[in-house]
Amino acid sequence: MTRGDKFLLAGLLLFSLLSAGALYGRWLLPQDQKKAMRAVVTVQGKVVRRIDLASGARSSFVVDGRVGSSTVEVDGARVRMLEAPCAGGICVKQSWIAHPGQSVVCIPGEILIRIEGAAPLDAVSR
Amino acid sequence: MTKHDTRGLVYLSMLVAMGTALHVVEGMLSIPMPVPGVKLGLANMVTLLALHLYGFRDGLTVALMRVLLASLVSGMFLSPGFLLGISGALGSTVVMALLLKHTRCFSMIGISMAGAVGHNAGQLLAASLVLQSGAVVYYLPVLLLTGIPTGFFTGYLLNSLLQHESGIVRDLAPTASAPR
């Protein structure tokens, strides 16, 4: 093994480690992809309230819909319709939502609660 | 291919046969690695020997004939693996021939390592063309980190073979070039 071999070996190893670092490095770093999740409440198409779901606080508030007042409850990262004046109560029965893309809809009151962001993929086929 | 006498032709054919055998047998060995595509590259030794003794044209002929025959034997002719093999053989042969001709500071070990890297580069280039995607570049560090040691060992083997005191390799080879 000559000097040239040793330099070549060192250079190639350095290059491969550097390329490994450059290509794989971003998977080794800690990820902070958790974006601040927000829920948006709209009545008859107009946004009436935005809720920060990252704060972790528990609260409830009243939304005036087309058929009366509904109560929305926030608990940390999840939201639900606690009470609604409508006949079916479907929005109340749907209970908590917590993931981006999910929504609670009250048709008679025309109230929509939606968590912002793209829904995660159900499955990937390839 | 340059003009050879019968002895030279027979010797080159023997190199092709050896390379084919090494290539095929090597394909039967499964190397316990988490990723596919990691091989010892023993057949590269034969390419390097042909390059060393006869120069670029004959080395390239031996390498390409070896890949062609090995793919026919193992039933992989014109498969994606065959295309990768051809491009890898081209890459390693060109790199090794350039180093053999234009540098004096490397032994067979260094040239074999550089050839392994050239092999990986050629393979990745072909793979990215076949897959129409540049994402295969993420495979490069894996190939490099396994290719460098295997290149080292095949080069070490060839070095030992060429320096063996019996001089068997040079004696058998007709019109062998001066030792370096």
Side-chain angles (χ1 to χ4, degrees):
Chain A
M1 194 158 170
T2 64
R3 272 174 74 86
D5 287 347
K6 284 176 188 149
F7 279 116
L8 185 71
L9 178 60
L12 286 178
L13 280 179
L14 192 68
F15 174 71
S16 56
L17 288 176
L18 281 179
S19 69
L23 290 173
Y24 303 149
R26 67 179 146 126
W27 281 295
L28 299 177
L29 295 175
Q31 297 185 323
D32 44 9
Q33 283 189 333
K34 221 173 189 174
K35 281 187 215 145
M37 278 212 303
R38 287 196 308 178
V40 180
V41 182
T42 53
V43 176
Q44 293 182 304
K46 286 189 209 67
V47 175
V48 295
R49 198 166 180 136
R50 291 181 200 277
I51 314 154
D52 182 14
L53 294 180
S55 66
R58 198 181 178 116
S59 64
S60 62
F61 54 89
V62 173
V63 176
D64 292 318
R66 205 164 62 89
V67 291
S69 297
S70 306
T71 311
V72 176
E73 187 182 9
V74 182
D75 174 26
R78 51 185 199 164
V79 196
R80 72 168 167 178
M81 193 76 89
L82 186 64
E83 281 172 352
C86 52
I90 292 173
C91 50
V92 177
K93 284 179 191 154
Q94 198 186 339
S95 189
W96 296 104
I97 58 168
H99 299 292
Q102 283 187 320
S103 54
V104 172
V105 184
C106 173
I107 298 291
E110 292 189 35
I111 300 171
L112 168 68
I113 308 168
R114 189 179 144 79
I115 299 184
E116 285 186 328
L121 301 176
D122 296 330
V124 178
S125 83
R126 43 181 165 183
Chain B
M1 201 161 156
T2 41
K3 209 141 170 68
H4 285 289
D5 60 0
T6 313
R7 269 172 60 89
L9 214 53
V10 169
Y11 193 77
L12 274 177
S13 316
M14 254 167 52
L15 288 183
V16 173
M18 277 200 292
T20 308
L22 285 174
H23 190 129
V24 171
V25 169
E26 188 180 83
M28 295 172 179
L29 299 173
S30 63
I31 293 163
M33 284 289 291
V35 289
V38 175
K39 284 173 68 176
L40 278 172
L42 287 172
N44 202 42
M45 228 163 71
V46 178
T47 310
L48 184 49
L49 183 59
L51 280 173
H52 172 63
L53 295 174
Y54 297 108
F56 177 63
R57 289 169 73 105
D58 292 328
L60 190 64
T61 313
V62 167
L64 293 183
M65 289 282 281
R66 179 255 296 178
V67 176
L68 190 73
L69 283 174
S71 73
L72 285 173
V73 169
S74 53
M76 302 289 275
F77 186 52
L78 292 185
S79 69
F82 166 74
L83 293 177
L84 295 189
I86 282 274
S87 54
L90 267 173
S92 68
T93 310
V94 168
V95 168
M96 292 193 299
L98 284 175
L99 286 185
L100 271 173
K101 196 165 181 195
H102 298 292
T103 65
R104 280 276 169 269
C105 56
F106 300 122
S107 72
M108 286 300 161
I109 297 175
I111 291 170
S112 176
M113 284 192 300
V117 172
H119 188 95
N120 295 339
Q123 266 186 324
L124 281 185
L125 205 64
S128 65
L129 287 177
V130 169
L131 296 173
Q132 305 272 303
S133 148
V136 285
V137 76
Y138 286 103
Y139 215 51
L140 183 70
V142 177
L143 288 180
L144 284 180
L145 285 174
T146 54
I148 292 168
T150 59
F152 179 90
F153 282 114
T154 53
Y156 182 78
L157 266 175
L158 186 61
N159 233 4
S160 320
L161 208 60
L162 285 172
Q163 285 167 358
H164 193 261
E165 54 193 15
S166 67
I168 185 88
V169 177
R170 284 214 177 75
D171 288 350
L172 269 178
T175 62
S177 61
R180 41 180 302 181

